[in-house]
PDB file of all heavy atoms in Angstrom:
ATOM      1  N   LEU A 585       0.701  -3.536 -21.693  1.00 97.00           N
ATOM      2  CA  LEU A 585       0.098  -2.274 -21.261  1.00 97.00           C
ATOM      3  C   LEU A 585       0.373  -1.157 -22.263  1.00 97.00           C
ATOM      4  O   LEU A 585       1.483  -1.063 -22.798  1.00 97.00           O
ATOM      5  CB  LEU A 585       0.646  -1.888 -19.883  1.00 97.00           C
ATOM      6  CG  LEU A 585       0.142  -2.721 -18.705  1.00 97.00           C
ATOM      7  CD1 LEU A 585       0.900  -2.348 -17.431  1.00 97.00           C
ATOM      8  CD2 LEU A 585      -1.356  -2.538 -18.514  1.00 97.00           C
ATOM      9  N   PRO A 586      -0.635  -0.310 -22.501  1.00 95.00           N
ATOM     10  CA  PRO A 586      -0.432   0.827 -23.392  1.00 95.00           C
ATOM     11  C   PRO A 586       0.317   1.937 -22.654  1.00 95.00           C
ATOM     12  O   PRO A 586      -0.227   3.013 -22.405  1.00 95.00           O
ATOM     13  CB  PRO A 586      -1.867   1.243 -23.750  1.00 95.00           C
ATOM     14  CG  PRO A 586      -2.687   0.805 -22.576  1.00 95.00           C
ATOM     15  CD  PRO A 586      -2.008  -0.396 -21.979  1.00 95.00           C
ATOM     16  N   ALA A 587       1.561   1.651 -22.278  1.00 96.00           N
ATOM     17  CA  ALA A 587       2.366   2.625 -21.521  1.00 96.00           C
ATOM     18  C   ALA A 587       3.833   2.403 -21.881  1.00 96.00           C
ATOM     19  O   ALA A 587       4.270   1.266 -22.078  1.00 96.00           O
ATOM     20  CB  ALA A 587       2.160   2.431 -20.021  1.00 96.00           C
ATOM     21  N   ASP A 588       4.583   3.513 -21.951  1.00 96.00           N
ATOM     22  CA  ASP A 588       6.012   3.424 -22.234  1.00 96.00           C
ATOM     23  C   ASP A 588       6.757   2.825 -21.049  1.00 96.00           C
ATOM     24  O   ASP A 588       6.222   2.743 -19.945  1.00 96.00           O
ATOM     25  CB  ASP A 588       6.577   4.832 -22.515  1.00 96.00           C
ATOM     26  CG  ASP A 588       6.054   5.385 -23.828  1.00 96.00           C
ATOM     27  OD1 ASP A 588       5.665   4.576 -24.709  1.00 96.00           O
ATOM     28  OD2 ASP A 588       6.009   6.623 -23.967  1.00 96.00           O
ATOM     29  N   ASP A 589       8.016   2.469 -21.286  1.00 97.00           N
ATOM     30  CA  ASP A 589       8.873   2.006 -20.191  1.00 97.00           C
ATOM     31  C   ASP A 589       8.921   3.094 -19.113  1.00 97.00           C
ATOM     32  O   ASP A 589       9.043   4.289 -19.434  1.00 97.00           O
ATOM     33  CB  ASP A 589      10.312   1.792 -20.688  1.00 97.00           C
ATOM     34  CG  ASP A 589      10.419   0.615 -21.657  1.00 97.00           C
ATOM     35  OD1 ASP A 589       9.399  -0.049 -21.921  1.00 97.00           O
ATOM     36  OD2 ASP A 589      11.537   0.396 -22.166  1.00 97.00           O
ATOM     37  N   GLN A 590       8.846   2.699 -17.877  1.00 96.00           N
ATOM     38  CA  GLN A 590       8.998   3.607 -16.719  1.00 96.00           C
ATOM     39  C   GLN A 590       8.058   4.820 -16.798  1.00 96.00           C
ATOM     40  O   GLN A 590       8.441   5.929 -16.458  1.00 96.00           O
ATOM     41  CB  GLN A 590      10.448   4.067 -16.601  1.00 96.00           C
ATOM     42  CG  GLN A 590      11.410   2.909 -16.509  1.00 96.00           C
ATOM     43  CD  GLN A 590      12.838   3.309 -16.150  1.00 96.00           C
ATOM     44  OE1 GLN A 590      13.100   4.432 -15.736  1.00 96.00           O
ATOM     45  NE2 GLN A 590      13.748   2.380 -16.300  1.00 96.00           N
ATOM     46  N   ALA A 591       6.839   4.596 -17.268  1.00 95.00           N
ATOM     47  CA  ALA A 591       5.894   5.708 -17.450  1.00 95.00           C
ATOM     48  C   ALA A 591       4.904   5.839 -16.286  1.00 95.00           C
ATOM     49  O   ALA A 591       4.242   6.860 -16.160  1.00 95.00           O
ATOM     50  CB  ALA A 591       5.118   5.517 -18.743  1.00 95.00           C
ATOM     51  N   LEU A 592       4.799   4.826 -15.441  1.00 96.00           N
ATOM     52  CA  LEU A 592       3.727   4.814 -14.433  1.00 96.00           C
ATOM     53  C   LEU A 592       4.294   4.953 -13.026  1.00 96.00           C
ATOM     54  O   LEU A 592       5.321   4.358 -12.698  1.00 96.00           O
ATOM     55  CB  LEU A 592       2.935   3.496 -14.509  1.00 96.00           C
ATOM     56  CG  LEU A 592       2.350   3.142 -15.880  1.00 96.00           C
ATOM     57  CD1 LEU A 592       1.683   1.766 -15.819  1.00 96.00           C
ATOM     58  CD2 LEU A 592       1.345   4.210 -16.316  1.00 96.00           C
ATOM     59  N   SER A 593       3.605   5.719 -12.189  1.00 96.00           N
ATOM     60  CA  SER A 593       4.082   5.793 -10.807  1.00 96.00           C
ATOM     61  C   SER A 593       3.427   4.732  -9.924  1.00 96.00           C
ATOM     62  O   SER A 593       3.832   4.557  -8.777  1.00 96.00           O
ATOM     63  CB  SER A 593       3.911   7.190 -10.220  1.00 96.00           C
ATOM     64  OG  SER A 593       2.695   7.729 -10.563  1.00 96.00           O
ATOM     65  N   GLY A 594       2.449   4.053 -10.439  1.00 97.00           N
ATOM     66  CA  GLY A 594       1.877   2.967  -9.659  1.00 97.00           C
ATOM     67  C   GLY A 594       0.961   2.098 -10.496  1.00 97.00           C
ATOM     68  O   GLY A 594       0.438   2.529 -11.532  1.00 97.00           O
ATOM     69  N   ILE A 595       0.771   0.868 -10.036  1.00 98.00           N
ATOM     70  CA  ILE A 595      -0.179  -0.064 -10.659  1.00 98.00           C
ATOM     71  C   ILE A 595      -0.935  -0.757  -9.538  1.00 98.00           C
ATOM     72  O   ILE A 595      -0.320  -1.244  -8.578  1.00 98.00           O
ATOM     73  CB  ILE A 595       0.546  -1.135 -11.510  1.00 98.00           C
ATOM     74  CG1 ILE A 595       1.217  -0.488 -12.731  1.00 98.00           C
ATOM     75  CG2 ILE A 595      -0.412  -2.241 -11.939  1.00 98.00           C
ATOM     76  CD1 ILE A 595       2.054  -1.463 -13.554  1.00 98.00           C
TER      77      ILE A 595
END
Side-chain angles (χ1 to χ4, degrees):
L585 287 173
D588 291 336
D589 292 358
Q590 304 190 13
L592 305 176
S593 42
I595 293 175

